Amino acid sequence: MSLRYKKLLFCIILCIILIFTSAQLSFALNDGEAERPSVYDILTDGENELLCISKYGNIESYPENSAEGIASANEQGADIVMVSVKKTADGVIVLFKDDNLSRMCADASGSSINKAVNEVSFEELKGYNLKNGKGGINSVITAYSVPTLEDIIREFSGKAVLLIEGGWSFRDEIKEIIFANNARSSVILLADKADKDTAQWIAGEGKDLLVFTHYNGTVIWNSSVAVKRSGNFGAKGILLTSGNPYSTTFSKSVAGKTGKNLKAVADMTDKKLCGKREDTITYLEDMTSRGFSVFITDNVQQFTLYKERLSFSRERLAGLIEKANNADLSACSAKVANSFNKQVSAASKLLDTSVCALELDNCCTALNTAILDLSDSVKSTKGDLTVSAGRIIAAVVIVIAFIASEIIFEHYKNRNIALRHQGKLRKKRNKKDIELP
């Protein structure tokens, strides 16, 4: 073979090796990346994940309920964007919070529009400009206009999940828009209440939709009934609100009844809705410890930081549980082993529930201490009867050996007695034989 062909063959072999190595590396990287479940999966499959709802989009940089604000909040990391809807005079469903346009809309001259939403047509409405952020007299007037719900659903279907408030009275029309745009997994309807009529609609016409219910009050048995009813009829979340900071609505006994298939939702943007709590990490921690796992917030980036901290604590605890499951308990007493296993079981259950980062950290500390204590044989066995599989086997072998030795000793003892007895008989016979004439 000529040198030219040898070089060509070498290049081909080298290319094959490089392609194979790259493919293997790609598969290895893909296998190492844990794919986070979608919002739809979290809500329908009971995945244990915190969810962040941005209220009306990124209102620091864009007008509330604007397409641009929704897109920005989604980019910031919001799992869901909450939008509010109203109907115009010609029946078009648009994204708007107030009944009146004055807070958020201005005309070309910059004057606020003092008209009701249901008094203007959509053609007139889209000619007005939205004020930035939450609007008001001194807000900057932007170039953005009020969008329709159908345009927003069509634009963000598959990209962002929307939570629609204010449209429960015309929910059937919203349902038609959702199905027409194949957006069943991208839209959540927020009901006004958690009463029987709401539950019946969810179980009937709304059975193919994602629905959150809403309960506002302080009476524990009413809130408990609302939670139970919402879960039984297929709602995926319940917004629990109250202006009373000591309301039992926020207790573990209520939020803890939601379970995996029904999420407890808290609105941290309004003190009147979350018991005078503020939209801070401290209160996120507090509400998470009470069993809430979905939070409406104005600060997506802050929520992301808290979620990262919580995720780190979960990963740390999961690692310790794995280490504990692989621990050697053969040198431990039964009492210590049982206590250790109970602690590991409790940690595993905690990992499967909605808990705050502090609870996870405390559990990590306790479990890590228990693992370290196992290495201290004096501490782990002091005052206890040490029992292990190896020692049980050794004890059984010793007992068998002892019994066998006893049997052998008894055998030889009886044999010797028999021999001595036979010897005496021979002597007597010999003596009698001698005495005979």
Side-chain angles (χ1 to χ4, degrees):
M1 184 182 290
S2 66
L3 180 62
R4 178 182 177 184
Y5 285 111
K6 287 181 179 179
K7 288 182 178 180
L8 179 60
L9 180 61
F10 175 76
C11 290
I12 293 173
I13 293 172
L14 182 61
C15 289
I16 292 172
I17 292 173
L18 288 173
I19 292 171
F20 179 76
T21 304
S22 300
Q24 291 281 36
L25 180 59
S26 175
F27 282 127
L29 289 173
N30 289 334
D31 290 342
E33 294 175 358
E35 186 177 351
R36 185 175 181 273
S38 67
V39 173
Y40 183 81
D41 290 336
I42 292 171
L43 294 177
T44 56
D45 297 339
E47 297 285 347
N48 187 27
E49 290 272 349
L50 289 189
L51 292 176
C52 170
I53 301 178
S54 172
K55 195 165 190 178
Y56 309 145
N58 179 9
I59 58 175
E60 289 187 0
S61 304
Y62 301 95
E64 67 178 33
N65 286 307
S66 64
E68 295 75 16
I70 294 170
S72 180
N74 190 47
E75 290 173 1
Q76 287 180 334
D79 300 297
I80 303 167
V81 180
M82 184 177 185
V83 296
S84 192
V85 293
K86 289 285 186 291
K87 288 178 74 172
T88 61
D90 50 350
V92 178
I93 302 174
V94 296
L95 267 58
F96 209 80
K97 170 63 178 174
D98 302 340
D99 293 327
N100 193 283
L101 299 173
S102 58
R103 179 174 66 92
M104 289 301 302
C105 290
D107 58 19
S109 65
S111 300
S112 295
I113 307 299
N114 187 19
K115 293 182 180 180
V117 179
N118 60 9
E119 292 177 349
V120 299
S121 66
F122 178 66
E123 282 297 318
E124 179 183 350
L125 182 61
K126 70 180 183 181
Y128 300 138
N129 294 329
L130 285 169
K131 299 177 184 178
N132 202 39
K134 294 183 178 181
I137 297 175
N138 298 320
S139 295
V140 175
I141 299 173
T142 70
Y144 309 122
S145 59
V146 177
T148 69
L149 176 63
E150 185 163 15
D151 286 343
I152 293 297
I153 288 178
R154 188 180 297 117
E155 180 178 352
F156 290 100
S157 180
K159 302 175 185 177
V161 178
L162 303 175
L163 172 63
I164 301 175
E165 73 159 354
W168 191 248
S169 60
F170 43 91
R171 55 189 176 274
D172 290 322
E173 296 175 55
I174 295 176
K175 177 184 174 181
E176 289 180 8
I177 295 173
I178 292 172
F179 277 85
N181 291 278
N182 194 27
R184 187 173 66 90
S185 62
S186 299
V187 179
I188 306 167
L189 275 175
L190 178 60
D192 296 333
K193 299 178 181 179
D195 56 13
K196 290 182 180 180
D197 291 338
T198 301
Q200 289 174 358
W201 190 88
I202 295 172
E205 294 90 333
K207 63 182 179 181
D208 295 323
L209 296 175
L210 299 176
V211 181
F212 285 179
T213 58
H214 180 202
Y215 172 79
N216 181 67
T218 60
V219 183
I220 188 169
W221 50 83
N222 287 343
S223 56
S224 297
V225 168
V227 168
K228 184 177 180 180
R229 178 183 290 141
S230 299
N232 289 343
F233 284 88
K236 301 306 178 185
I238 178 168
L239 174 60
L240 297 169
T241 61
S242 174
N244 184 352
Y246 307 105
S247 172
T248 53
T249 299
F250 302 122
S251 66
K252 284 187 176 182
S253 60
V254 173
K257 291 179 181 178
T258 53
K260 287 188 174 182
N261 295 323
L262 181 71
K263 305 293 184 182
V265 186
D267 189 343
M268 307 300 291
T269 65
D270 189 343
K271 291 183 178 181
K272 295 178 181 179
L273 300 177
C274 60
K276 298 183 180 179
R277 293 172 176 83
E278 297 180 354
D279 193 7
T280 64
I281 287 181
T282 300
Y283 285 111
L284 284 175
E285 180 93 342
D286 170 60
M287 295 297 279
T288 305
S289 69
R290 296 170 183 269
F292 287 81
S293 59
V294 182
F295 295 91
I296 302 172
T297 178
D298 283 332
N299 195 333
V300 175
Q301 293 174 331
Q302 172 188 258
F303 184 91
T304 301
L305 290 174
Y306 175 68
K307 192 171 182 178
E308 288 175 356
R309 180 196 166 195
L310 190 67
S311 177
F312 173 79
S313 298
R314 282 190 177 280
E315 290 175 4
R316 183 185 172 209
L317 182 57
L320 286 171
I321 291 172
E322 183 178 359
K323 185 177 180 180
N325 286 328
N326 294 326
D328 182 11
L329 303 179
S330 61
C332 299
S333 68
K335 180 180 178 181
V336 170
N338 288 336
S339 177
F340 182 79
N341 287 330
K342 286 181 180 178
Q343 195 163 358
V344 175
S345 178
S348 299
K349 289 180 180 178
L350 187 69
L351 199 62
D352 291 335
T353 58
S354 177
V355 292
C356 65
L358 181 60
E359 287 179 279
L360 292 170
D361 292 340
N362 290 339
C363 186
C364 285
T365 301
L367 186 56
N368 189 52
T369 301
I371 293 171
L372 293 175
D373 285 347
L374 288 178
S375 62
D376 187 350
S377 59
V378 175
K379 184 174 182 180
S380 62
T381 61
K382 185 177 180 181
D384 293 317
L385 178 62
T386 303
V387 179
S388 65
R391 295 189 180 190
I392 290 174
I393 293 172
V396 171
V397 171
I398 291 172
V399 171
I400 292 173
F402 177 76
I403 293 173
S405 65
E406 284 290 319
I407 293 172
I408 294 171
F409 176 77
E410 188 68 23
H411 171 73
Y412 281 107
K413 179 182 176 182
N414 293 335
R415 183 181 177 185
N416 289 334
I417 292 172
L419 290 173
R420 283 197 298 272
H421 184 64
Q422 290 177 3
K424 288 180 180 180
L425 288 175
R426 288 195 191 98
K427 286 180 181 180
K428 286 182 179 181
R429 288 174 184 171
N430 291 335
K431 188 176 180 180
K432 288 181 179 180
D433 290 343
I434 294 171
E435 290 177 351
L436 286 175

